[in-house]
Amino acid sequence: MPQSYTKLLEEVGRKVMKAVSERARAIASKFGFLEYMVVRYHEIFGDWSEVTELLEAFEKPLVKAIRINTLRFKSVGEVLERLEKLGYELSKIPWDRSSYIVVRAGRVSLGATHEFLLGGYYLYRGVASLIPPLALSPSKLDRVLDSAAAPGGKTTHLAQLMDNEGLIVATDISRERFRALRTNLERMGVENVVAIRVDSRRIPEIFGEYFTKSLLDAPCTGEGIIQLDPSRKTKTSFEDLVRAHKKQVELLMATIRATAPGGRVVYSTCSIAPEENEFTIAEVLESLSNVRVVRTSTAVDFEPGVTEYFGVELPEQLKLCGRTYPHKHGFEGFFVCVLEKEMK
Amino acid sequence: MKCTLGGNEVLSHISRLYGAEATEAVKGYTPMYCSGSFTEVYLVKPQLLEAVEAVLRSGRIPYFAGMYGGRLRSAKPEFIPSHVLVERIYEFLGHPIRAVKAIEQGIKVILYGRDLLAESVASCFEPVELGEVVSVIGPDGYVYAIGLSTTSSCEEIAKLRKKDVVVRSVFDLGWYLRGGTVPREAKYKL
């Protein structure tokens, strides 16, 4: 009998609260987290010392990264040379051909250099945002949907991977974020994007099963980027996670519906919460019989997706999804999962 | 706001400003005009047309499609091209026209939204027409600003005093910092 993973989250919530121990209270208090959060990290790692490592890593600042935009500058080397002259020291990210970690800042802030204004690079607050476009791996022949696209880091990355060919439809609902998306597309010389301000859940009504590849970097509670927003340690309740999960399920269902048979969908979040990730994928797999998880093939050394959580058995195929953690990977906590829609 | 596909108005302006040959730089692109309180022009690649048409059929409008081409106006200057379009045209022609090349100090000033003074001009590329658009190019060859010329020829610039304005700024890339993501400053100073 089909089960609703969304419904099972209620049971998980009760178990989480019951599992709060003296040790969990002490660690949560030391790092300023809500107790229920720490209990969940222990459920994922099965080891309190690793929980402590994670929380310590959340205290460290994120390293900034830039992706050189070869749509505006003829070569990566040209931008690097110009930034080095400004005093920047950059280190190549081994798994992406055009991205660099900022080792030492230069004389002018990264968002104010001539190179930035000319569209020479996109500035990231952390490097994990580079992963979803690489996991989608679009070609010049693809019709790509970028759902919840603003402010456009992933959209412009997709355009670069496609060499400004093919088609990207970028959607977002937020007026302010959309303004940033449009500005970034213009600044970075992107020419293969059609951008629409619309609730991404309405996309199938407009396009039907049109896209060969789709990306949903879903709005999330940000449980992987606590370094950027320490208020996240205390501001999100378990009920908030469930609300986020329900919206993510709706968005992912719509994204899959807008994808052509045989097409590929990448789902990602900047959260390490299984409620927003594996439970979202599991609910969608339960509802749709024509999708399956396939291995996330980027050069990043991912941790596997969670398949058992507070007594709930999740589908085995979720192991093929990828997770990153700040204490293991040195950047944000992140989740990425690749789904394939069966041919009709 | 209403968007429509097709029509040669923007190509006429490109031809008028940069010569008939310059329209070849955007050959194969279909213009899309989006009109509200002003008209924005996009140049849409063939592979995007199906998606744009689907959006229009649904009663919505694309907020961005293809290459941003610039803005159409009812008064002079009737067309303000985007810096991306101008660079595309220069690349196609193999040289700039309707442009002044500025020294580094001039670029720094213009990126704060200020006008370009005669003392900051390194070279000039005809034709230059009073009240018509002119590009400000940096020493690196990239277009940093689009403005309006205060002179009728490059020769006139040489006769100006150091502090005389040569280009009245309309748009500069510094806008991406000052107003690009939040509406602090209008995009075009016209």
Side-chain angles (χ1 to χ4, degrees):
Chain A
M1 193 178 128
Q3 55 186 332
S4 163
Y5 289 94
T6 301
K7 272 212 170 298
L8 283 171
L9 278 179
E10 290 170 20
E11 191 186 318
V12 168
R14 283 191 293 273
K15 285 184 179 170
V16 168
M17 300 312 165
K18 269 191 189 169
V20 176
S21 61
E22 276 310 310
R23 186 150 193 193
R25 278 197 192 95
I27 292 176
S29 163
K30 182 180 171 190
F31 290 95
F33 279 64
L34 294 176
E35 291 160 359
Y36 91 90
M37 294 169 74
V38 171
V39 170
R40 289 158 56 247
Y41 302 152
H42 184 256
E43 178 69 9
I44 294 170
F45 300 120
D47 177 1
W48 284 112
S49 64
E50 188 162 1
V51 173
T52 306
E53 281 174 39
L54 171 72
L55 300 186
E56 281 169 351
F58 273 140
E59 299 297 316
K60 294 176 187 159
L62 276 178
V63 285
K64 283 183 181 161
I66 59 167
R67 173 176 47 80
I68 310 282
N69 178 28
T70 46
L71 301 179
R72 285 283 286 148
F73 278 76
K74 286 180 184 65
S75 75
V76 169
E78 184 188 350
V79 182
L80 290 179
E81 199 177 306
R82 290 172 67 131
L83 288 175
E84 276 163 14
K85 278 185 189 158
L86 291 172
Y88 277 93
E89 188 184 334
L90 303 162
S91 159
K92 178 95 177 62
I93 294 174
W95 41 268
D96 185 40
R97 63 181 175 185
S98 58
S99 299
Y100 292 78
I101 284 168
V102 181
V103 178
R104 191 186 64 226
R107 295 184 291 278
V108 185
S109 83
L110 271 168
T113 65
H114 290 185
E115 292 68 26
F116 177 81
L117 299 176
L118 285 167
Y121 56 85
Y122 193 90
L123 173 60
Y124 294 92
R125 295 184 297 178
V127 302
S129 299
L130 291 161
I131 295 170
L134 297 173
L136 194 66
S137 186
S139 80
K140 291 178 179 183
L141 299 174
D142 277 312
R143 295 190 300 270
V144 174
L145 170 64
D146 184 6
S147 195
K154 291 172 195 75
T155 315
T156 54
H157 192 180
L158 290 166
Q160 185 172 345
L161 292 170
M162 296 164 79
D163 205 15
N164 244 345
E165 295 296 333
L167 163 74
I168 301 168
V169 170
T171 69
D172 207 280
I173 187 66
S174 154
R175 190 178 291 274
E176 192 171 313
R177 284 165 60 86
F178 204 90
R179 197 173 283 120
L181 169 68
R182 191 157 57 172
T183 298
N184 280 318
L185 294 173
E186 183 186 319
R187 180 177 67 85
M188 300 189 74
V190 172
E191 291 186 15
N192 62 342
V193 169
V194 176
I196 328 164
R197 197 169 75 78
V198 65
D199 184 332
S200 300
R201 288 171 288 196
R202 311 295 295 271
I203 290 297
E205 289 170 27
I206 304 171
F207 291 98
E209 292 181 314
Y210 185 66
F211 300 97
T212 53
K213 287 185 178 163
S214 301
L215 171 62
L216 172 62
D217 185 44
C220 72
T221 67
E223 202 168 345
I225 48 169
I226 292 171
Q227 307 95 318
L228 287 174
D229 178 16
S231 74
R232 176 63 181 80
K233 292 178 181 179
T234 54
K235 76 177 178 191
T236 306
S237 67
F238 190 84
E239 290 70 31
D240 292 331
L241 284 179
V242 176
R243 269 190 287 278
H245 158 86
K246 287 177 178 169
K247 187 167 184 196
Q248 288 152 352
V249 170
E250 287 177 11
L251 286 169
L252 182 54
M253 296 279 272
T255 304
I256 292 168
R257 274 201 293 272
T259 305
R264 178 169 276 221
V265 176
V266 167
Y267 175 84
S268 61
T269 69
C270 56
S271 175
I272 56 170
E275 295 83 354
E276 299 188 80
N277 297 315
E278 286 86 349
F279 275 76
T280 299
I281 305 285
E283 180 68 18
V284 167
L285 292 174
E286 201 62 40
S287 308
L288 303 173
S289 57
N290 60 346
V291 282
R292 65 186 178 102
V293 179
V294 295
R295 187 170 296 284
T296 304
S297 54
T298 69
V300 180
D301 187 16
F302 292 112
E303 289 289 306
V306 171
T307 52
E308 200 184 330
Y309 191 62
F310 289 101
V312 175
E313 300 258 334
L314 294 154
E316 263 311 284
Q317 50 181 316
L318 291 175
K319 275 191 180 152
L320 302 175
C321 305
R323 289 181 150 260
T324 65
Y325 298 107
H327 64 294
K328 287 187 170 168
H329 296 86
F331 49 83
E332 309 98 291
F334 205 79
F335 175 85
V336 63
C337 198
V338 184
L339 300 163
E340 218 164 66
K341 192 169 173 180
E342 279 175 14
M343 296 294 287
K344 270 184 181 159
Chain B
M1 178 82 84
K2 191 184 169 197
C3 296
T4 51
L5 275 170
N8 288 332
E9 196 177 349
V10 68
L11 298 177
S12 306
H13 285 298
I14 291 172
S15 178
R16 175 177 61 79
L17 292 171
Y18 302 103
E21 191 191 356
T23 59
E24 292 288 310
V26 290
K27 191 180 176 185
Y29 289 68
T30 301
M32 180 177 81
Y33 303 92
C34 292
S35 305
S37 45
F38 38 74
T39 300
E40 302 281 23
V41 185
Y42 294 88
L43 295 156
V44 183
K45 286 184 170 186
Q47 69 267 29
L48 274 60
L49 287 174
E50 200 174 64
V52 171
E53 282 161 359
V55 174
L56 294 176
R57 265 199 312 276
S58 75
R60 294 172 174 84
I61 52 161
Y63 279 76
F64 188 99
M67 183 204 310
Y68 176 60
R71 180 174 291 182
L72 290 175
R73 301 176 74 250
S74 50
K76 195 176 177 184
E78 289 173 342
F79 177 52
I80 305 167
S82 72
H83 70 283
V84 180
L85 174 62
V86 172
E87 275 184 8
R88 168 68 60 90
I89 290 169
Y90 291 169
E91 196 180 330
F92 179 81
L93 296 176
H95 57 84
I97 63 170
R98 287 188 186 271
V100 291
K101 188 172 256 187
I103 60 171
E104 191 59 41
Q105 188 55 34
I107 294 297
K108 276 184 187 158
V109 169
I110 207 153
L111 286 176
Y112 281 103
R114 288 156 63 185
D115 298 335
L116 188 75
L117 306 181
E119 65 184 359
S120 296
V121 175
S123 53
C124 176
F125 303 88
E126 297 279 14
V128 170
E129 196 181 328
L130 181 66
E132 196 46 274
V133 290
V134 62
S135 317
V136 179
I137 301 173
D140 55 8
Y142 288 98
V143 174
Y144 281 84
I146 303 288
L148 300 182
S149 173
T150 63
T151 65
S152 301
S153 70
C154 289
E155 207 175 308
E156 252 184 66
I157 295 174
K159 294 174 189 161
L160 293 175
R161 287 168 300 184
K162 279 202 244 178
K163 301 292 177 193
D164 284 343
V165 171
V166 173
V167 179
R168 190 155 69 80
S169 175
V170 170
F171 169 78
D172 65 278
L173 298 186
W175 178 80
Y176 291 130
L177 270 181
R178 302 191 305 271
T181 53
V182 284
R184 285 191 294 260
E185 179 185 311
K187 187 170 182 180
Y188 292 108
K189 295 178 209 126
L190 271 179

